[in-house]
Amino acid sequence: MKIGEIANAAGVTTSRIRFYEKRGIIAPAARGPNGYRDYPEDLIALLRFIEQAQGLGFTLREIASVEVRSGPHPISCAEAIGLLAKKRDAVDALIAEAEERKRRIDSLISELQESQARSED
Amino acid sequence: MKIGEIANAAGVTTSRIRFYEKRGIIAPAARGPNGYRDYPEDLIALLRFIEQAQGLGFTLREIASVEVRSGPHPISCAEAIGLLAKKRDAVDALIAEAEERKRRIDSLISELQESQARSED
DNA sequence: ATAGGGTTTGAACCTAGGTTGAAGGTCAAG
DNA sequence: CTTGACCTTCAACCTAGGTTCAAACCCTAT
């Protein structure tokens, strides 16, 4: 498959695929006699996997480090669970931080509303 | 006060103050006869305000748009409450998104744990 | 043979919020 | 009168994840 075809199939842009290759997130593509990249259908699944992982909050750097090992040494189920658990903790921390922000905003709003009420006496 | 003094007093770097001035977050400083920036003590409070607002999730762009009006037309209490309420909603949305991410991660972990349990039969 | 669509490369651009560095001017103390 | 600590400007660099552009090549249909 040519780059445009696989991009269409996976719902990503061609520039993104080239960018992933440049960054080492995906392996360099095989080339046809004209120099065009030639992809196996498998790559569609990989591209979708990348999008999913990003959606869960994994960075491309993190995804790449898993990808690298999916060749000769695929990551074990236990390892995957470990990575996911770590990411869940990070998301938890993010949520806690955002909730703290929200609390501070709310208390600021209350303060302002009170001072507004007082000024209307 | 010279830039280094005020930076120290407010707990920010000098480069940050110059950056804020360049970006229009703070007004251009008065200059002494030697060309050095000369700040009034008030600016300490403003710099602290900026840090606080950032901590609540406001971007410099948002802070600047409020700052601009704090000269001739300071923003009203009601306006401030409006901005805060809007930001709280944005934080709420962020939290909801993060919680959805967390749910997806958790269900993925459960899936993997089950498949691991099955493979140990 | 020429128009169009797809592909190649590399480099520049974008947001956000700064930091770092170079080259030079200023000021106070010893 | 020199050293060290400040200050000035402007420009380049950084992260993350890409997009956009220019110049050139390839392939197919008319």
Side-chain angles (χ1 to χ4, degrees), chain B residues 2-3 18 21 29-39:
Chain B
K2 285 188 293 184
I3 195 169
R18 293 196 197 96
E21 181 178 313
R31 298 300 178 115
N34 46 12
Y36 286 15
R37 287 177 179 80
D38 183 20
Y39 293 103

Side-chain angles (χ1 to χ4, degrees), chain A residues 2-4 18 31 35-37:
Chain A
K2 284 188 293 186
I3 195 170
R18 292 195 198 96
R31 299 299 178 117
Y36 286 15
R37 288 176 178 80

